[in-house]
Amino acid sequence: MKILVQREAFDLGAEVAAMSQGRTDIGAVASFVGLARDMNEGSGVQAMTLEHYPGMTEKALAALVDEANARWPLLDTTVIHRIGRLLPGDPIVLVVVASQHRGEAFAASEFIMDYLKTRAPFWKKEETLQGERWVEARASDDAAAARWIEP
Amino acid sequence: MKLRVLYFARLRERFGVAEESLDFSGATAADLIGQLQARGGVWAEELASGRAFRVAVNQEIVTLDAVFPEHAEIAIFPPVTGG
């Protein structure tokens, strides 16, 4: 497991290569990259600043990955989330999951993103022509996370 | 007991404080919220029932009935918006 919270950009290709280097048991790698959009809630976004809760963030991300490992037989997982000021088009978050077969890798990467959206302590503040605004949590993110609650 | 309380994002800006140490005579997260609401102003407004906020104890999100351990690190923040 690799968990990073950093200001710098990340390199998807390098992360996938690092994960699979020297091993031949991996049959599937699924990845997700989230990018900063130029539009939100109907108005243009010129930049955003991501704040987090140092200490809790890393623990929360590791807990998400632990939970994914408990649900699927995964071979390795990388989660990188950026903080600081980002511009439209900049990558924000990376999730890479390796497993023997594609089903687990697809499912686990979606699960990790859905839980990250509702559990990891990050907050976005957007800069728009009308001024700065904190992004409000979305009910659709709660609904996406709720899909994974086991009976 | 003494509590260390951290605030993040919109709540930090509204309250005008990132961190404070305070004397707490209650037991639960709900007791602390009540104590902070009693300050009035933005505290009463932002922490009113029906407003969405989260409480974490020692870096784990808890429900309002959670009992605080000694020397706990408490954080109060808006619903998260990362990803």
Side-chain angles (χ1 to χ4, degrees), chain A residues 51-56 59 81 92-93 116-125 134-137, chain B residues 6-13 54 56 58-61 73-75 77-83:
Chain A
E51 171 179 336
H52 78 126
Y53 179 175
M56 178 174 169
K59 284 167 65 175
H81 202 298
I92 302 175
V93 59
L116 183 155
K117 283 269 184 186
T118 55
R119 297 190 180 185
F122 293 99
W123 300 273
K124 292 188 185 114
K125 189 183 208 181
W134 288 99
V135 174
E136 297 282 334
Chain B
L6 312 177
Y7 306 98
F8 289 96
R10 196 194 72 251
L11 293 182
R12 184 196 64 244
E13 286 189 350
R54 303 282 181 263
N58 292 332
Q59 306 189 343
E60 292 209 8
I61 291 176
E73 175 181 298
I74 312 299
F77 46 76
V80 302
T81 57

Side-chain angles (χ1 to χ4, degrees), chain B residues 1-32:
Chain B
M1 63 174 142
K2 279 271 187 199
L3 287 182
R4 180 170 172 237
V5 188
L6 312 177
Y7 306 98
F8 289 96
R10 196 194 72 251
L11 293 182
R12 184 196 64 244
E13 286 189 350
R14 291 275 287 157
F15 297 155
V17 56
E19 177 176 345
E20 65 179 321
S21 174
L22 54 83
D23 289 312
F24 178 62
S25 54
T28 66
D31 294 337
L32 174 64

Side-chain angles (χ1 to χ4, degrees), chain B residues 44-74:
Chain B
E45 186 186 320
E46 291 288 349
L47 301 175
S49 62
R51 294 300 297 266
F53 58 85
R54 303 282 181 263
V55 178
V57 177
N58 292 332
Q59 306 189 343
E60 292 209 8
I61 291 176
V62 298
T63 51
L64 287 178
D65 58 359
V67 174
F68 290 164
E70 278 287 331
H71 308 296
E73 175 181 298
I74 312 299

